Amino acid sequence: MSSDSQEYADAEDGGPDPETYCGHGRGGMGEEVKRKEDRRFITGRGNYVDDIKKPGMLHCEIVRSPHAHARIENIDKSRALDVDGVVAVLTAEDLLEYDLATMPTLMADTQDVLVNDKVKFQSQEVAAVIATDRYTAKDGAQKVVVDYDVLDPVVDAKKALEDDAPLIRDDIEGKEDNHCLDWETGDEGATAEVFDEAPVIVKEQMLYQRLHPAPIETCGAVGDYDPGKDKLTVHMTSQAPHIHRTLFSQVSGIPEHKVRIVSPDVGGGFGNKVPIYPGYVVAAAASYVLEKPVKWIEERSENIQSTGFARDYDMTGELAATEDGEILAVRTDVLANHGAYNAVAQPSKFPAGFFNIFTGSYDIDTAYGSLTAAYTNTAPGGVAYRCSFRVTEAVYLIERMVKVLADELDMDPAEVRRKNFIPPEKFPYESPTGWNYDSGDYEKALDLALEMADYDEYREEQRRRIDEDADKLLGIGISSFTEVVGAGPGKTCDIAGVEMFDSADIRVHPNGSATVRVGVQTQGQGHETTFAQIVAEELGMDVEDITVEHGDTDTDPYGLGTYGSRSTPVAGAA
C-alpha cells in the first residue's frame, strides 16, 4: 500500500486526513494548476458552433421586422426564390403545417418563431431564407418583400399600462391591456404600521436600466434532422443543453430521447444563452422540413436588438428608521418591463427571480415588496446577467436606500451598515421575506474592507478637498452584497417545471485515468479544470489523468445548466 493510500485508510472518517492529505501535489483543490482547456483556446483550436460543418449543410438568414409594432399584410418570397442558390423561404404559414410556428418560453408564455400576424418588437423574426451558403442567404433575405400596416408602438412600461396604450398581446384570448403579472412578498399591513409610526422615512426612485449581456460569441445553431432515425440533433450555443432538449421535444413533438443537443465550446454566456431563441427553432425546423443540416449564426447587430436582456426595473424604495439610524422596515415597489413576451429566465415559482432578497445583509424586522410587470414593444428577456436571478437589482435597491438614509441622518454610510448588519449570534437567520441565511460575520468583513482600503484616510482626504474647495472632489462608495448562489434546491427552484438539480458520472478506467461527465455547460468559467481538481482531491488522482466532458445530452447526465453561479456549488457537489 502506498503512503498516500495509508493516509487515506488511516483517516478516522474514511477519507483523507486534511492535515496530511490536502494539497497532495497532484492538482487537487486549492493547488495552482494550468487550466486544462486553455491550450486549445489560445492556439485557435476551440470548436464553436460556427465551426460545425456537415455534408450538404445549408445556411439560414432571418428576415427581421424594421418596425416595433405592425401587422403583416403580405410576404412576397418570389424575388428571393429567384436568387441562385436560395433553396427555400420559410414563413409562419410554412411552419404552421408542422405545428412549429410558436414555441413555449421558460415562463409558460407562447412566443412566435416566425410571425404570422403582428410583429411586437423591432427585429422580430418574420421569415427565414435557406440557401447553399451564408452570403447567398443574406442576398435572398434582402429580396423578401414584407408589406406592413404600421401601428403605434409603446416601449415604456409606465405608458404601456395606461388605459389608452396600444394593445400588444391581442394574441392572448380576452386580453384587453398590457399587464403581464403581479407579485408580492412580505407583510404589507405590518410594514405599513411601522412606516406610520417611524420617526424617519426616506424614499428614492431609481431605474436599473435594461442592458444586454453581449458575449463575444453570438447565438447560433446547426439543426440536423435524420429522417431515417427520426432523430433531431442540434448543435447550439446553450448554457443549459438538457432543458433545451426538453423544450425542443415539446416544440417539435419528437420524443425527448430522439432529440440530441450538443453545446461545443461556448464563447461567453452571461445569461444570454439560457433562453430558447426563434433562430434555434428555425434552424431545427428548416432541417426537419428540408431533411438537410441547416446552420444559423446570429450577427452582432441581431444579438443586440433581439437577445434576452437583463435588468430593466423601475424601482421605488422606502426605509423607515429611528433617528440614530436603526432600520425598522423596508418597502419597495417595482415596475418591470418584460418586453413583448414573458420570456424571463427565472425559476418558475419566482416570477421576479430572487428579488425578495432585497432586505440584503441587514437585520430588518418588517418588509414588503410588490412588483408589476408590463408587456411592451421591446425584445423579451430577463436573464441572470453575471449574478443569480434578480439579486443584483435587489442589492442595488437596498444599498442605495442605506446611502440615502445615511445622507438624511448625516451619518457615515459605513456606520449605518455596521449598526444594522445581521449579528453573528442571530444565524441561522430568517429574513422577513422568508429567506434563510445560514451564517456570516458581516461587521468583521466590513472592518477588513475598510482597513484594506484605508477608509479613514480617504474620508480625511475627502473632507480636506471639500474644505479647500478643490477642483476635484473625492467620492467613496460602499456596497454590501449578500448573494443567493447555487440556484436550488429543486423543491423551490425549477426551470419549465424541471427541478433544479445536477448530476455527475465518474468512470475510472483500467489504466487509472478517469472521465467525468457533468450536466452543466461551461462558457469560459474553466469547468474542465475545476471539476477535475475536485475529483483529483477526492479520489487521490492526478489532475492530468482526469478528463471532463460536458455539453452533449446523449452522453452526459441530466443537469440544469450553468447560470446564476450554480455550477460549482451544485454540479461540483454532485
Side-chain angles (χ1 to χ4, degrees):
M1 180 181 288
S2 70
S3 59
D4 281 345
S5 299
Q6 186 63 53
E7 288 167 359
Y8 224 105
D10 290 347
E12 290 183 0
D13 61 356
D17 181 352
E19 292 294 325
T20 60
Y21 202 82
C22 187
H24 51 41
R26 294 175 174 173
M29 292 186 289
E31 295 186 39
E32 182 176 330
V33 299
K34 288 184 177 180
R35 292 196 351 154
K36 296 171 71 68
E37 51 271 90
D38 281 357
R39 177 180 292 274
R40 71 177 184 272
F41 292 143
I42 64 178
T43 57
R45 291 179 171 87
N47 182 38
Y48 299 89
V49 168
D50 201 21
D51 295 319
I52 304 297
K53 295 177 175 61
K54 298 279 186 178
M57 186 172 70
L58 302 174
H59 295 258
C60 171
E61 184 74 17
I62 292 177
V63 179
R64 297 179 180 274
S65 168
H67 307 290
H69 201 194
R71 294 200 180 276
I72 297 176
E73 297 189 327
N74 185 58
I75 300 176
D76 185 353
K77 309 177 183 180
S78 59
R79 293 178 60 206
L81 290 169
D82 287 340
V83 175
D84 188 29
V86 170
V87 175
V89 179
L90 301 179
T91 65
E93 186 177 354
D94 300 303
L95 297 186
L96 281 168
E97 294 182 23
Y98 299 89
D99 199 24
L100 294 172
T102 60
M103 64 181 195
T105 70
L106 294 178
M107 290 301 284
D109 198 356
T110 300
Q111 181 173 345
D112 293 298
V113 175
L114 295 176
V115 179
N116 185 43
D117 52 0
K118 187 178 77 168
V119 296
K120 302 172 184 68
F121 63 93
Q122 187 181 14
S123 201
Q124 189 170 8
E125 300 81 358
V126 173
V129 176
I130 315 299
T132 52
D133 63 79
R134 187 175 183 181
Y135 300 101
T136 301
K138 183 175 286 291
D139 290 343
Q142 293 174 350
K143 299 289 187 180
V144 176
V145 178
V146 185
D147 295 329
Y148 295 98
D149 177 17
V150 181
L151 307 172
D152 291 333
V154 55
V155 298
D156 180 271
K158 288 182 180 177
K159 293 181 179 178
L161 294 178
E162 293 176 356
D163 292 339
D164 60 349
L167 180 61
I168 298 168
R169 295 300 304 276
D170 52 4
D171 58 305
I172 300 176
E173 186 176 352
K175 192 68 176 166
E176 297 180 353
D177 56 31
N178 296 318
H179 175 264
C180 179
L181 63 89
D182 291 311
W183 167 89
E184 64 179 354
T185 185
D187 191 324
E188 183 178 15
T191 304
E193 289 180 9
V194 175
F195 271 88
D196 289 342
E197 299 176 3
V200 178
I201 295 175
V202 291
K203 185 175 182 178
E204 185 83 356
Q205 185 85 19
M206 60 202 87
L207 176 66
Y208 210 144
Q209 73 275 10
R210 174 179 290 217
L211 60 84
H212 290 278
I216 292 176
E217 180 196 26
T218 59
C219 296
V222 178
D224 188 5
Y225 176 69
D226 184 340
K229 297 180 179 179
D230 189 26
K231 182 164 185 175
L232 174 66
T233 298
V234 186
H235 287 76
M236 60 187 291
T237 52
S238 171
Q239 292 182 226
H242 284 95
I243 193 63
H244 282 179
R245 182 184 70 180
T246 300
L247 292 172
F248 262 98
S249 175
Q250 292 177 4
V251 172
S252 66
I254 299 174
E256 190 164 350
H257 69 281
K258 289 192 173 185
V259 177
R260 178 189 181 197
I261 303 297
V262 180
S263 289
D265 292 326
V266 179
F270 313 110
N272 173 237
K273 293 165 182 171
V274 176
I276 288 281
Y277 295 107
Y280 295 157
V281 180
V282 167
S287 177
Y288 184 81
V289 171
L290 301 172
E291 298 186 356
K292 288 187 176 182
V294 176
K295 176 187 285 188
W296 167 71
I297 298 294
E298 184 182 52
E299 291 191 353
R300 174 61 59 194
S301 59
E302 293 177 291
N303 180 269
I304 292 295
Q305 292 177 76
S306 63
T307 201
F309 67 89
R311 318 297 191 233
D312 212 341
Y313 267 20
D314 190 345
M315 304 183 288
T316 302
E318 295 179 274
L319 286 184
T322 63
E323 293 178 347
D324 63 352
E326 180 186 351
I327 301 174
L328 303 173
V330 57
R331 184 164 56 192
T332 180
D333 184 55
V334 177
L335 177 58
N337 183 345
H338 275 212
Y341 303 92
N342 188 12
V344 296
Q346 315 286 351
S348 301
K349 298 180 181 68
F350 295 91
F354 297 160
F355 185 77
N356 47 359
I357 199 81
F358 65 81
T359 55
S361 311
Y362 306 105
D363 186 12
I364 304 174
D365 289 336
T366 312
Y368 175 71
S370 62
L371 176 143
T372 296
Y375 293 115
T376 66
N377 290 120
T378 61
V383 300
Y385 174 71
R386 297 301 299 262
C387 180
S388 289
F389 313 101
R390 301 296 191 187
V391 171
T392 302
E393 291 90 322
V395 171
Y396 179 74
L397 176 111
I398 188 62
E399 291 303 298
R400 180 78 186 110
M401 292 312 305
V402 170
K403 178 62 169 64
V404 171
L405 177 63
D407 289 346
E408 175 71 18
L409 299 176
D410 196 24
M411 291 179 64
D412 189 303
E415 291 310 306
V416 176
R417 286 173 170 81
R418 192 189 310 279
K419 179 182 286 288
N420 289 285
F421 277 149
I422 303 167
E425 62 270 16
K426 279 200 171 185
F427 290 101
Y429 173 87
E430 183 171 335
S431 78
T433 58
W435 284 92
N436 291 305
Y437 294 56
D438 56 6
S439 60
D441 192 340
Y442 302 152
E443 184 174 358
K444 184 176 181 180
L446 174 66
D447 288 341
L448 180 60
L450 297 179
E451 179 184 347
M452 293 174 66
D454 292 328
Y455 182 72
D456 292 338
E457 184 177 329
Y458 272 116
R459 281 293 185 207
E460 183 60 36
E461 173 68 11
Q462 187 181 52
R463 287 188 287 269
R464 184 189 66 77
R465 293 191 189 190
I466 293 173
D467 293 342
E468 295 179 4
D469 197 21
D471 291 336
K472 292 184 179 180
L473 300 180
L474 178 64
I476 304 172
I478 300 176
S479 180
S480 303
F481 197 144
T482 297
E483 184 180 2
V484 182
V485 297
K491 283 189 287 187
T492 54
C493 293
D494 71 282
I495 290 290
V498 180
E499 289 189 359
M500 283 189 178
F501 70 97
D502 263 276
S503 313
D505 178 86
I506 303 173
R507 301 188 180 191
V508 181
H509 306 298
N511 66 354
S513 63
T515 299
V516 181
R517 295 189 174 102
V518 291
V520 292
Q521 171 63 33
T522 184
Q523 310 113 48
Q525 294 94 336
H527 287 180
E528 292 170 38
T529 303
T530 302
F531 297 138
Q533 285 191 279
I534 292 172
V535 174
E537 181 73 25
E538 292 300 318
L539 299 187
M541 300 178 66
D542 193 314
V543 73
E544 293 301 321
D545 292 333
I546 299 169
T547 299
V548 176
E549 297 180 358
H550 49 78
D552 188 336
T553 61
D554 265 12
T555 58
D556 300 328
Y558 202 104
L560 267 290
T562 296
Y563 42 83
S565 305
R566 69 182 303 274
S567 290
T568 303
V570 184

